Amino acid sequence: MPATHARKFVSADPNKCVGCAVCEYACSMVKEKTYNPTKSRIRTVRLNPFANLAVTCRLCEDPPCVAACPRDALTQSEETGIIMVDEDACNGCGWCIEACDYGAVMLHPETKVVYICDLCQDQGKPQCIEWCPEGALELVTTDILAQKARRSIVRKLFQEAMKAVPV
Amino acid sequence: MSYAGKTLHIDLTSGKVETKPLNMELAKEFIGGIGLGMRLLFDHSKPGTDPFSPKNPMIFVTGPLSGTMAPSAGNSYAVVSKSPATGGIAESKAHGFFGADLKRAGYDAVIITGKSEKLIYVFIDDDSVQLMDAERLKGKSSHETEEAIKEELGDYYVRVMSIGEAGEKLVRVACALNDEFRAIGRTGMGAVMGSKNLKAVAVRGTKDVNVANLEEFKEFIKMIHERMKGPKTRKYRTLGTPENVLVLNALAALPTRNFTQATFEGAEKVSGEYLNERYIKKIIGCATCGMRCDHIAFVPEGPYKGTTARVEFECLWALGPNCGVDHLDAVIEAISQCNYYGLDGISTGVIVGFAMDCYEHGLLTKKDTEGLDLRFGNPEALVEMVKRIGSRKGWLGDVLAEGTMRAAEKIGKGAVKYANHIKGLELPGYDLRGLKTAALGFAVSFRGACHLRSGAYSPDVKGSVDRFKLEKGRGKIVMDLEDQYNVIDSLILCKFSRGVYYDGLKDMAKYYTLATGIKMTAEKLILAGERINNIARLFNIREGKGTREYDTLPPKIMTVPIPDEGIAKGSCVNQKEFDVGLDDYYEVRGWTKDGIPTVEKLNELGLNDFAYIVKGKIEKSKKGAK
Ligand code: SF4
Ligand code: SF4
């Protein structure tokens, strides 16, 4: 079993995401063979023109969605961290939807069981990442996210320092 | 198959709602968007209907690509009606998110007629259509309305298109906005909504939109996405259309102070370069479109601190250089006020410029302006006038809310000299005195003065013709561009993306076929474009506005030579060359000298049914010629 912190998930960079929903269309195209963002496993949010972000499953370390299911319909893959849905066991009650802080679990409008991002396992890699025209989506680990945050804060600090003490 | 196959009919007077199958023959001939909309307008309107009459239909149309993943075309819709500004055909398109939901709700067109007793909004929720009370939204801006409706319906993914106070008060240049700042901008569609007591249309579409050939369609859009990263869209992705400010200024083609000069000494201060450096905080995109072009400005300090608006060249020009204002803070504020009241920013800027011109020439006094110092270049006066027009406040606000054509008549005293409109629609930001292919193109445009009916400024600006001359041959250039643009507006591709169709109409025909499964060729498409131009002309003729005497240029363009020192000095359009241009254009179009399509032309285009409109007129004009 790989270390849990190695699990990868799709994350959008808030500075790059422009809210175009191409990822939603790509998701429905690949997974559902149609164009319909209401069947996408990744969803965009635009709070105002400056605040845009696509959100999907973050493959939590201790997934509350799994814990919330009273019918044991959800399990987390030990290998990949992906949340797997037992479609026969799921009755669409929505406890997991409520448990997920990211709105990443949704009830499928037709099958009426829940569906969650599975990193396009059948495609080799997540297709939203392939299609995002802004390169805003990345397959990351929590380690990588932490690294990125560190680098960006240090860059910012040095910018300020440079302004204060001209070299 | 990407047509929904259905049209929705809503009568606001009786509350009756019904659906009908889409007439596929019409869809094939008129594509969708403005083409299909204009064809449907004939079936649903009677000659001589007042634009504000309940009988004037307002037709929302999606395109064959709406709802698909087609970059830019996937998110679009058009509105067609009779224009309260021109009394002729009205059409306008918008992108964003609304159009995709309208298609997913299952409609190729929604035809709204009648008039509600109270202010309402229509909620289209897939198959269910409800008329909802909107009295409490009276006077609210589009943005406020959108938020309130989402709140009321408890769904933040509902898409809303709505009007502000200007539309409610029948300001003839009122627009409608969807998704906060995307506009059905031109030809006064907001006022038509207002006349129906229709505050908004909200839509939630959850159905699948399928294309005929998914695999090849996917490859095609992948290619379009790649091309969108390339040189053909560079401008829209970087500085955006405000790049035009310095480009046109260098050509002495940047109309300044209501077309008094053609260069602006303050151009640098309102340039795309300055705007991007100082104000643009984020560039965002519409649904399905990887190009992203919406330049969102934020005013960092001063009296307008915190104001946010999407800024494009046209509104920036109209409210900036055209009013002599070189203060970007105020221009951004004025744009945001246009959005607040729901005003077409181009027309509004040109109206304010006109009023300033009248004021400078003593046709309007401080008494008329209620103390406002309405001279060119006064940023506060600009912002105040926008508000007054948007709310019809005071005598002047009310008069100007009628648009330049009617306002000039009301003001009298020769104000028509300063009125810059064609057919009642205000001019966009190209100085036609030194861009003469554009002058012809704007004059013959069926919706009035418009840069987007043919883009006829482009050969002038690119230098592929002598822009200071109007000569034989320009008619063909204008016609070809018009027909192409009609196709673009019927597929409802965003014009910012027009450069990525490297094979032009061939690419577009393929696109259409992959989505609809209907065989299409470049030849058939361009023929459809011609058909659409002719049907628009027929509508205008039916309404008594479609003949030669309506294909005009404003007095300033014809009589006041460009005064600025330099390349363009002394240029203006004279009657003789203008007549040469019109004759040439009518000839290539197969129209009479009076600008009326001949019966043969109509037969050729499969428009035989409409021959009744031209028959009497052609005989009359022949008699007149004798
Ligand atoms: S495709 Fe990329 S930029 Fe567009 S909404 Fe999705 S993550 Fe954001
Ligand atoms: S669905 Fe939500 S709660 Fe479950 S693993 Fe994904 S992000 Fe975590």
Side-chain angles (χ1 to χ4, degrees), chain B residues 285-296:
Chain B
C286 299
T288 73
C289 186
M291 228 171 93
R292 105 253 187 290
C293 65
D294 279 335
H295 287 60
I296 311 292

Side-chain angles (χ1 to χ4, degrees), chain A residues 57-60 63-65 83 100 102 104-105 116:
Chain A
C57 177
R58 299 185 73 84
L59 278 64
C60 300
C65 56
I83 307 300
C100 173
Y102 313 105
V105 191
I116 308 172

Side-chain angles (χ1 to χ4, degrees), chain B residues 121 307 341 349 366 381 426:
Chain B
Y121 74 89
T307 292
Y341 289 98
K366 261 212 166 138
E426 286 74 16

